Amino acid sequence: MIAVQDRKLALWNIGVAYAAFLIGTLCGLLQVFIRNDALQLPAWLDYYQILTAHGVLLALIFTTFFIFGFFITGMSKSLGSFGPKVRLFSWVGFWVTLLGTVMATAMIVAGEASVLYTFYAPLKASGFYYVGLALVIIGTWISSFALVGHYRVWRKNNKGQLSPLFAFMTITTIIMWIIACLGVVATVVFQYIPWAFGWTDTIDVELSRTLFWFFGHPLVYFWLLPAYMAWYVIVPKILGVKVFSDSLARLSFVLFILFSIPVGFHHQLTEPGISNFWKFLQVVLTFMVIVPSLMTAFSMFATFEIAGRKNGGKGLFGWFTKLPWKDIRFTSIFIAMAFFIPGGAGGIINASFQLNEVVHNTLWIVGHFHITVGTPVAMTFMGLTFWLIPYLTGRKFTKAMKMLGLVQIITWSIGMLLMSTSQHILGLLGAPRRTAYSGYNNHPSAMEWFDGILTNHVTMAVGGSILFVSAMILIYIVVMTMFLSPKAVEEKDLVDFPMAESDMSRTPKWLENWWIWIGLAVLLIAVAYAIPLSHMIQHAPPGSEGFKTW
Amino acid sequence: MHLHKYEKIWLVFGIASLIVFLSVVGVSAFSQDHTPAGGMETIDPKKVNETAPFDNPGVTQLDDDTYQVAIVALAFGYTAPELKVPVGKEIVFKVTSTDVVHSFTIDNTKVNMMVVPGRITTKSYTFEKPGTYLILCNEYCGTGHHMMYTEIEVYEE
């Protein structure tokens, strides 16, 4: 078991994550009912306010705090207890991120920031909303540097050795995150904040969008990589085998440093100000980032087969039935992975240049989001939560909780399947995203969208309601394992952190030479962005004043 | 670094598929001109109503086979009087915004344009079927976002 102070740190992070999850999922429930015109909000509350809260609290806050809770636990376990400086900076990072969260949320509640979590200018929120978001990023940087410091101490004490796989992957994710955030920090600090407080009159809209998406796509990898860490490092241990290939796991992670950043234009394919050449170049780079995911898929199924055969599975697919399906720690993550197959394929469609016109800003994108971050990432985090909290609190993960966990995972899967299928089809038909009830005055074209068996308003609402029930079950499990479940006294009741062994004997040392990967990443970013970005700045139109259209 | 034989096969297959996908997209884009909406023209967002072609929004015939449609998007509608265009002719849409970011999206077509203040978005499209098409905004623009729509009529000559 890791040091008690490190446990406290991790638990606070996870606690905040689930507070955000509670409010965020409640917003989601309200949305599905407003969308089908079944619910009228009171005058002081607006659909887009709730939508902003849903996006910010789930996509940004729940993920970020959970990820740091997971990192802190795993880093303390794999590299040893934190020193006083690392601990101090981890707390400072935590409080700064929390302060930013509270500020941004207060502005949303006050109706001063119904600009969604993408906050596209020239929608102008209160300056404190942008300051809040900036603090969230700065807080994560402080927490990140604390973990990097911990890692450096370990490296100094273990000269010439490769770090444990969990630590290696944590550092990879952090490096990618820090480079990615430079874009959003630049736009928020130099464009939004001076403009929102009235120090400058106008803002260059296209530039702000471009800097946002420099950050926006690697942001999704910041959610995904910790899930991949669980798949690479935790799952084999649960299955009783080793990591399939240490060097491939590391290689796939460093490829994410290279290719997850210079790809932001694929979110801007249908907009002006970027020429087709540069859009297409970034489409090509986007396809490169699929390669490490293909490697991951192979490693996972190889791990499953090895484990299944070890348990006596015979024939071509017999091993599949020999996997520990009754172990909720495994089943949850397996379902999460299964959702990522259509999720990843949908991503390839979205990034396919002109094909993007068919789906851009339709409900398809919302569906895509929910079967990428909303299930593969979120459900992996749920699968981790089941044992991570008892591990940190020293409480039992009781039989009743295991049963509830199974119910929670199954309901989440069913709810998401209904809701996201409906959203994907509606999007293909043309229904727009990010709208309240969108009947367009009962326009016949709009009415047609909602005619199908899967695409009618009821299906999405049923899906959303099941998801909310599932979320509440999860909150119950979190509260129980955090505060109320009986303490584990006997050895057999102690919950362990399953961290698989990884054979590093054949892993090349250059994989852990970070300067190679940072250097290559900077080079690729320069290739992908330098010319179109400088063109955008040099040929900028007169800027835009702010608008508050809500 | 050691690669399992099956992993090599899987990666070769995967990367080959990606190359095929990209080639299809790239050839279609650059040799058949199937590129998404875009354009490099700029405009002063405060002077849209006095800048051509937006000083006279709507349909203009450019030559026998080409029409231009100039549209100004603003919260929460489009200044585009009487949108009527013929079927089977090239229609060049030019759209800009006087306030926030919007989209100009025609249901059941590939016309799906982001509209950014300070920029002019261009998309060329040829309607194949006559009828009345729903035009809507699919980029969040404020309280009335879900009520921002208009129509375009495509007639047979």
Side-chain angles (χ1 to χ4, degrees):
Chain A
M1 180 123 42
I2 62 171
V4 67
Q5 293 106 318
D6 298 354
R7 280 192 267 155
K8 195 173 158 194
L9 193 53
L11 278 169
W12 272 89
N13 275 282
I14 295 169
V16 173
Y18 277 102
F21 182 81
L22 175 66
I23 308 170
T25 48
L26 179 64
C27 292
L29 179 72
L30 293 177
Q31 279 158 238
V32 289
F33 286 109
I34 300 166
R35 277 194 58 89
N36 68 13
D37 218 8
L39 180 71
Q40 203 75 38
L41 284 175
W44 50 270
L45 201 59
D46 174 73
Y47 177 81
Y48 297 103
Q49 219 174 334
I50 295 175
L51 183 59
T52 306
H54 178 74
V56 169
L57 290 174
L58 289 179
L60 301 179
I61 304 305
F62 164 66
T63 49
T64 301
F65 277 99
F66 187 85
I67 287 166
F68 276 98
F70 179 50
F71 281 179
I72 288 164
T73 316
M75 287 294 266
S76 178
K77 173 155 174 96
S78 57
L79 301 185
S81 299
F82 290 180
K85 260 198 210 153
V86 173
R87 206 167 278 149
L88 174 70
F89 279 99
S90 295
W91 277 113
V92 173
F94 168 81
W95 285 112
V96 172
T97 312
L98 185 59
L99 175 68
T101 304
V102 171
M103 262 173 96
T105 311
M107 289 302 121
I108 298 169
V109 173
E112 292 299 321
S114 299
V115 294
L116 311 188
Y117 80 101
T118 42
F119 56 89
Y120 292 139
L123 290 169
K124 186 154 120 181
S126 154
F128 293 103
Y129 178 69
Y130 305 116
V131 172
L133 292 180
L135 287 176
V136 168
I137 301 286
I138 292 165
T140 64
W141 280 7
I142 299 171
S143 301
S144 294
F145 282 117
L147 291 174
V148 171
H150 187 53
Y151 165 83
R152 287 177 59 128
V153 171
W154 186 92
R155 286 285 295 248
K156 213 182 269 170
N157 296 335
N158 297 271
K159 279 221 163 43
Q161 283 188 45
L162 285 165
S163 63
L165 192 53
F166 190 99
F168 179 93
M169 290 176 157
T170 301
I171 298 300
T172 316
T173 311
I174 284 174
I175 289 173
M176 185 213 62
W177 175 242
I178 288 172
I179 302 176
C181 286
L182 295 173
V184 76
V185 167
T187 184
V188 167
V189 172
F190 297 114
Q191 289 192 284
Y192 281 94
I193 291 177
W195 169 71
F197 285 110
W199 306 328
T200 53
D201 296 329
T202 61
I203 189 166
D204 180 344
V205 177
E206 188 55 28
L207 178 64
S208 72
R209 294 172 65 82
T210 304
L211 290 172
F212 178 85
W213 282 114
F214 174 94
F215 156 82
H217 198 71
L219 169 67
V220 311
Y221 287 101
F222 176 65
W223 304 328
L224 188 62
L225 290 189
Y228 275 16
M229 286 168 68
W231 302 2
Y232 273 113
V233 184
I234 313 285
V235 167
K237 180 72 177 182
I238 295 172
L239 296 177
V241 292
K242 283 187 196 172
V243 174
F244 172 68
S245 163
D246 185 78
S247 51
L248 273 169
R250 288 176 203 246
L251 180 65
S252 77
F253 263 62
V254 295
L255 289 178
F256 281 111
I257 299 186
L258 304 189
F259 294 113
S260 62
I261 302 167
V263 297
F265 286 173
H266 78 245
H267 290 259
Q268 301 176 281
L269 290 173
T270 65
E271 68 192 60
I274 306 162
S275 72
N276 279 319
F277 173 81
W278 294 107
K279 285 180 183 172
F280 189 74
L281 181 92
Q282 293 209 6
V283 165
V284 174
L285 288 168
T286 308
F287 275 56
M288 298 295 289
V289 79
I290 299 162
V291 174
S293 284
L294 290 175
M295 292 163 61
T296 304
F298 186 91
S299 294
M300 290 309 115
F301 279 91
T303 306
F304 298 156
E305 184 174 346
I306 291 167
R309 290 198 189 284
K310 203 175 145 197
N311 292 341
K314 298 266 185 305
L316 200 52
F317 293 110
W319 50 269
F320 194 74
T321 58
K322 297 288 181 188
L323 294 170
W325 297 110
K326 283 183 186 152
D327 187 339
I328 187 62
R329 298 174 305 166
F330 169 73
T331 310
S332 54
I333 294 186
F334 183 88
I335 298 174
M337 287 177 193
F339 266 94
F340 200 52
I341 297 171
I348 300 178
I349 293 170
N350 302 343
S352 290
F353 203 44
Q354 65 275 56
L355 200 54
N356 179 262
E357 288 186 315
V358 180
V359 295
H360 183 74
N361 273 352
T362 67
L363 269 176
W364 164 284
I365 301 298
V366 183
H368 171 70
F369 227 73
H370 284 90
I371 59 166
T372 45
V373 65
T375 308
V377 171
M379 201 186 277
T380 298
F381 290 179
M382 293 165 188
L384 296 176
T385 302
F386 295 143
W387 56 262
L388 189 58
I389 299 180
Y391 171 75
L392 291 166
T393 55
R395 292 179 192 276
K396 285 187 196 171
F397 184 36
T398 61
K399 239 190 179 147
M401 287 300 125
K402 285 176 187 165
M403 275 305 296
L404 268 182
L406 198 62
V407 174
Q408 193 263 317
I409 291 302
I410 289 169
T411 44
W412 191 272
S413 310
I414 295 171
M416 204 52 99
L417 209 57
L418 286 173
M419 193 179 79
S420 70
T421 307
S422 165
Q423 286 168 336
H424 273 91
I425 300 172
L426 277 167
L428 284 183
L429 295 173
R433 74 188 282 199
R434 294 177 156 179
T435 57
Y437 176 64
S438 54
Y440 299 104
N441 213 2
N442 294 327
H443 196 281
S445 304
M447 292 299 113
E448 259 174 45
W449 301 331
F450 300 103
D451 252 357
I453 301 171
L454 274 170
T455 62
N456 66 67
H457 286 300
V458 178
T459 310
M460 216 198 290
V462 169
S465 306
I466 297 174
L467 281 168
F468 182 70
V469 170
S470 177
M472 290 310 104
I473 298 174
L474 182 62
I475 292 291
Y476 179 74
I477 296 173
V478 168
V479 171
M480 288 300 289
T481 48
M482 214 173 250
F483 304 109
L484 299 168
S485 288
K487 284 271 182 192
V489 202
E490 289 173 64
E491 188 79 23
K492 68 170 174 57
D493 289 330
L494 280 176
V495 176
D496 193 28
F497 187 125
M499 198 178 270
E501 251 181 83
S502 193
D503 179 6
M504 297 186 249
S505 57
R506 286 200 288 180
T507 306
K509 289 276 193 296
W510 48 265
L511 278 172
E512 199 155 353
N513 186 343
W514 300 111
W515 297 114
I516 298 179
W517 309 116
I518 295 172
L520 285 173
V522 170
L523 189 73
L524 278 169
I525 290 167
V527 168
Y529 272 109
I531 295 173
L533 202 62
S534 64
H535 184 275
M536 198 178 282
I537 293 167
Q538 281 164 9
H539 296 84
S544 286
E545 289 173 352
F547 293 88
K548 191 177 176 220
T549 52
W550 66 92
Chain B
M1 202 177 322
H2 171 74
L3 271 181
H4 192 280
K5 190 178 107 199
Y6 289 154
E7 173 135 26
K8 280 183 198 156
I9 296 172
W10 165 249
L11 285 180
V12 166
F13 166 78
I15 293 168
S17 316
L18 294 180
I19 292 170
V20 171
F21 295 165
L22 275 175
S23 310
V24 170
V25 167
V27 168
S28 148
F30 295 102
S31 76
Q32 298 168 6
D33 228 17
H34 289 166
T35 49
M40 302 303 283
E41 290 172 83
T42 60
I43 187 171
D44 186 338
K46 275 202 252 175
K47 294 188 181 141
V48 168
N49 295 327
E50 44 208 90
T51 312
F54 303 102
D55 53 347
N56 184 20
V59 185
T60 323
Q61 186 162 11
L62 297 180
D63 60 43
D64 278 356
D65 294 317
T66 324
Y67 290 74
Q68 177 179 278
V69 178
I71 308 267
V72 179
L74 71 169
F76 301 100
Y78 303 93
T79 51
E82 288 280 317
L83 288 184
K84 286 186 185 167
V85 294
V87 77
K89 305 277 184 182
E90 185 186 4
I91 316 291
V92 180
F93 291 98
K94 281 185 175 282
V95 193
T96 192
S97 164
T98 52
D99 47 40
V100 298
V101 178
H102 299 280
S103 96
F104 179 84
T105 303
I106 308 179
D107 188 34
N108 282 323
T109 71
K110 285 180 292 184
V111 180
N112 190 359
M113 309 159 70
M114 294 295 299
V115 184
V116 179
R119 304 268 171 183
I120 298 170
T121 315
T122 306
K123 171 76 188 176
S124 165
Y125 187 72
T126 306
F127 288 94
E128 281 159 13
K129 277 190 212 150
T132 306
Y133 290 76
L134 171 67
I135 297 173
L136 57 88
C137 173
N138 70 14
E139 180 61 271
Y140 170 66
C141 56
T143 320
H145 167 50
H146 55 287
M147 292 181 271
M148 180 164 169
Y149 77 103
T150 185
E151 287 180 337
I152 185 167
E153 191 188 321
V154 180
Y155 59 87
E156 238 162 329
E157 276 185 310

